[in-house]
Amino acid sequence: MEEKTAGISEDWLSLFLGVFIFMVSLGLFMGHDLMGWGISTSIWTDPTKAMSAISKKYKPVKGELTKIDGAKLTLKLADGKEDSVTAEGDVSALKVGDVYEKKGITGVTALFLTYAAMLIVMLVGARLMGINVGKFAVGFTVLFWLSYLCWFTGHYAHIAATKNQLAGFKINWALSLTPEAGFIVALIAGLIVGNFFPKLSGTLKEAARPELYIKTAIVIMGAMLGLKAAESFTLASAVLFRGLCAIVEAYLIYWAVVYYVARKYFKFSSEWAAPLAAGISICGVSAAIAVGGAIRARPIVPIMVSSLVVIFAVVEMLILPFAAQIFLWSEPLVAGAWMGLAVKTDGGAVASGAITDALIRAKAMDMSGINYEAGWITMASTTVKMFIDIFIGVWAFVLAIVWCTKMECKPGEKVKAVEIWQRFPKFVIGYVVTFLLLLFICFPSTKAIAPVDNQVKTLTTEIASLQKKLASPVLPIEEASIKARIDESKDKIKSLNGSVKNHRDMLAKAKLATDESNTFRVMFFVLTFFSIGLVSNFKKLWEEGIGKLAVVYVICLFGFIIWVGLFISWLFFHGVKPPIVTG
């Protein structure tokens, strides 16, 4: 639940933080790699090899030179693999066979730089919110290192490696949860701290702000999804349209039924029933707060509902992604949309989408050898959730009118249209901005490259067919003709690739920019998971009389909302699949 502060709101701050990180990542388009020092964590059996900087520019590398193409050097590394680097300075004295070494920063240094950068940015945010900067600094420091430890643990090969990766790590078994298992570890660790270590929990309280972290992460994630949308524009358009249709269906069904159940069978007053219906059916914390404010409910009402939302989001996050992996692995975008419609917090829905993304991709690889491109299942979850968030302000405004004109009509009181803006989730603006900017930057390049790739694919197939003919006995004159055709096709491929070189360079920069900003998106995600667990004090909430509300929540959520959400997701996303990674 967003906490009221003396300065700007968490909603506005998340927009500013996310857009700032996104804008810094765009330095690559001007030739400046400003965020390549961010931490990248790999699946590991040897912990000393798990961490590195995200960008090659900052990574150390050493190997035998196998090819020199101007400043671009190809090296054979100690493990036998090849890597390429761009040398700085004079390379005229280098020759093939030399040992070349480029200095860089260690993984530990990258981790400390990431911590320092996030601390500075978040302290500025704390100051803008008007909260105690000293307490926030202490809490954030502990929260960051505990969260990263969870993320690091989730990358252990026996936890994260999928079946196709076992041989590479020389292990016989793994849970195949992918690196996103770190989110689950962080959630469980946060629950343990929040419920069994009150002193430590109190120290972290000032920095435990899951809504701030997840909203900032979503703003940053918009850029990554914008790039994906540019690369597969037709599919992205389908996801957006279907997501809009899905949430309209959900709104029309969910809210009215929950409100009716709360009023008819549990005798809640309208003051309680409306925020409860919004929290259970629409968008959890944000909707409960917006609707509570719109109908002028007492502060305790949205607080109690929001507490329930967080608790049940935890339950759903622990159950639904794994259920989706078992039953929906062959319908990945149905599973993603289901997370967006069923899990009722922004953090819970998007995080559940990320877990589902990892679990289903691993399952599809294990079951049928299909390697779905990462991020599309998460995109389905996020898209559905974002449309829900966008309509919160409209819904709150509608309820404000109803309450003012019908439920609690008072002489002289009028509802102002500005309430739509006041209830609108501002971080969604940041998400839309980053999404559209990357889409507009990258779409011209993807549009130019697509027909070239199709031609190259056709020519490559033709070359393979001709080479197969050469493998069998042919007349000398026919052999010469085939070789000439092969050479001609290769020249065409070279010419075609040369014609879109600038476009490929543009997409490569966009990919690196989103990878670098994604480093911070991931850390905000991990902080979200840990914080959600941290603020979920089950004992305290029970003592405050949350039991009756919980009964309504359980009946409505598990009685029909999850299943209606599944049906709607199936209705609109059945048969829609993410792109498949080849090669």
Side-chain angles (χ1 to χ4, degrees), residues 33 43 45 91 96-97 103 114 118 171 184 193 200 211 222 279 328 335 366 431 436 447 458 480 484 498 517 538 564:
D33 191 348
I43 300 175
T45 51
V91 297
V96 172
K103 301 295 183 182
T114 302
M118 291 188 71
I171 58 178
I184 301 173
V193 172
L200 177 57
E211 292 295 311
L328 294 173
D366 289 345
Y431 171 84
L436 291 179
K447 186 178 180 181
T458 301
S517 63
F538 299 141
V564 171

Side-chain angles (χ1 to χ4, degrees), residues 218-289:
I218 290 172
V219 173
I220 297 170
M221 188 167 64
M224 179 183 71
L225 299 181
L227 173 60
K228 290 183 180 296
E231 292 175 332
S232 298
F233 188 73
T234 302
L235 177 58
S237 301
V239 170
L240 291 171
F241 175 73
R242 291 165 192 261
L244 176 60
C245 294
I247 69 99
V248 170
E249 290 276 352
Y251 264 104
L252 295 176
I253 298 171
Y254 282 177
W255 194 91
V257 175
V258 177
Y259 183 83
Y260 178 79
V261 169
R263 293 280 283 152
K264 175 75 174 179
Y265 297 104
F266 290 87
K267 308 304 179 184
F268 278 108
S269 67
S270 57
E271 179 193 30
W272 282 95
L276 183 60
I280 298 175
S281 65
I282 301 175
C283 185
V285 172
S286 300
I289 293 172

Side-chain angles (χ1 to χ4, degrees), residues 43 160-169 171 174 176 178 361-367 369-371 583:
I43 300 175
T162 53
K163 290 183 180 179
N164 62 309
Q165 297 173 316
L166 297 183
F169 289 104
I171 58 178
S176 296
T178 77
R361 285 188 293 108
K363 179 85 169 187
M365 174 63 74
D366 289 345
M367 296 296 291
I370 297 174
N371 185 14

Side-chain angles (χ1 to χ4, degrees), residues 294-335:
I295 68 170
R296 303 295 187 261
R298 291 166 296 158
I300 188 62
V301 176
I303 288 174
M304 293 285 278
V305 173
S306 298
S307 300
L308 269 181
V309 167
V310 171
I311 292 172
F312 281 98
V314 171
V315 175
E316 290 178 282
M317 287 162 60
L318 292 174
I319 296 174
L320 295 188
F322 294 95
Q325 182 194 36
I326 295 170
F327 300 108
L328 294 173
W329 67 269
S330 62
E331 290 290 346
L333 293 192
V334 172

Side-chain angles (χ1 to χ4, degrees), residues 510-569:
K511 177 67 166 58
L512 182 56
T514 56
D515 284 347
E516 291 181 0
S517 63
N518 193 58
T519 295
F520 296 90
R521 192 272 301 177
V522 166
M523 282 311 307
F524 280 119
F525 259 47
V526 182
L527 291 167
T528 298
F529 274 88
F530 198 99
S531 297
I532 286 174
L534 197 65
V535 300
S536 302
N537 190 322
F538 299 141
K539 182 180 179 181
K540 183 178 179 181
L541 292 171
W542 187 261
E543 290 174 350
E544 291 176 353
I546 206 169
K548 187 179 177 183
L549 286 174
V551 172
V552 181
Y553 208 116
V554 168
I555 291 174
C556 293
L557 184 64
F558 294 102
F560 73 91
I561 284 178
I562 285 178
W563 313 117
V564 171
L566 177 57
F567 172 75
I568 292 173
S569 300

Side-chain angles (χ1 to χ4, degrees), residues 401-446:
I401 293 175
V402 171
W403 250 250
C404 183
T405 58
K406 303 293 182 182
M407 306 291 290
E408 298 177 356
C409 187
K410 299 177 182 178
E413 185 176 9
K414 294 182 179 180
V415 179
K416 298 179 181 179
V418 74
E419 287 204 31
I420 291 181
W421 172 248
Q422 292 172 346
R423 305 304 181 191
F424 188 86
K426 310 303 186 298
F427 77 96
V428 173
I429 300 171
Y431 171 84
V432 172
V433 166
T434 57
F435 178 91
L436 291 179
L437 272 177
L438 252 292
L439 176 61
F440 290 148
I441 288 172
C442 298
F443 184 65
S445 293
T446 58

